[in-house]
Amino acid sequence: MLNIFARASVSRVTDPIGAALVRAGLTPNAMTLIGTAGAFVCALVFFPAGMLLAGTFTVWGFAMLDLLDGAMARARGSTPFGAVLDATCDRLVDGALFAAIAWWAFTVDGNERAAAAALVCLVLAQVISYVKARAEASGLSADGGLVERAERLIIALTGTGLQGFGVPYAVEGSLWLLALLSVITLLQRITAVAKAAREARS
């Protein structure tokens, strides 16, 4: 949903930075890999160790590089491989983040409900993305939805950040909220695919 309302405003800030990085010799694929590696490692190192604030801010920082690789792709010209690489890396980061939060909930916080919520969010995040990819491969549309990747990161990392600052049950509450919104998003995308399929037949 944020993609619809914030893309133009964000692009005005990131596009000049992306163009400058391209002129400096950095490629969009390199930026994608840097951001992915950083977020992946930080999630799996900090959250299982109970370092919620460190995990929150470092994962968020590396995830923000995803904005720059998009801006760089617009400046340099996107490629089919770059789009596939970016989508693949997004899934890896989402998986690492929710797996790491589940690990923390099980082993550090001892909160099985929060761990279950993290695993539900992990599965739904992958399925929501898969529905869009599979629909597009079939020539159908499944864009949009209440919660896309940006919203997932914001909600999950807000929870870990608040818990890191001492707010009890912030992780559990944010993850169950995200799980509910993700179910709604999945239904929205399935509905969009069904509508697109009907229109394609008519």
Side-chain angles (χ1 to χ4, degrees), residues 28-29 32 66 69 73 77-91 136:
N29 290 347
T32 297
D66 193 44
D69 69 13
S78 60
T79 65
F81 173 74
V84 172
L85 178 65
D86 184 61
T88 301
C89 288
D90 287 350
R91 304 292 79 74
E136 291 177 346

Side-chain angles (χ1 to χ4, degrees), residues 42-136:
C42 289
L44 294 179
V45 168
F46 291 126
F47 288 123
M51 303 170 67
L52 295 184
L53 288 180
T56 298
F57 289 115
T58 55
V59 170
W60 182 254
F62 280 110
M64 287 301 95
L65 295 181
D66 193 44
L67 295 176
L68 291 179
D69 69 13
M72 292 169 68
R74 287 189 291 273
R76 191 174 187 264
S78 60
T79 65
F81 173 74
V84 172
L85 178 65
D86 184 61
T88 301
C89 288
D90 287 350
R91 304 292 79 74
L92 287 172
V93 171
D94 288 352
L97 172 62
F98 289 113
I101 294 173
W103 190 344
W104 168 83
F106 269 128
T107 63
V108 178
D109 197 47
N111 187 336
E112 294 181 354
R113 295 185 306 274
L119 295 176
V120 169
C121 289
L122 189 159
V123 172
L124 288 172
Q126 305 302 316
V127 174
I128 287 169
S129 298
Y130 176 77
V131 169
K132 180 179 179 179
R134 188 66 184 87
E136 291 177 346

Side-chain angles (χ1 to χ4, degrees), residues 149-185:
R149 185 167 188 260
E151 291 89 349
R152 283 198 297 272
L153 290 176
I154 289 170
I155 294 171
L157 293 176
T158 295
T160 58
L162 289 174
Q163 186 108 15
F165 280 117
V167 178
Y169 303 107
V171 169
E172 182 181 350
S174 67
L175 290 180
W176 282 121
L177 172 63
L178 178 56
L180 174 61
L181 297 177
S182 296
V183 169
I184 295 172
T185 302

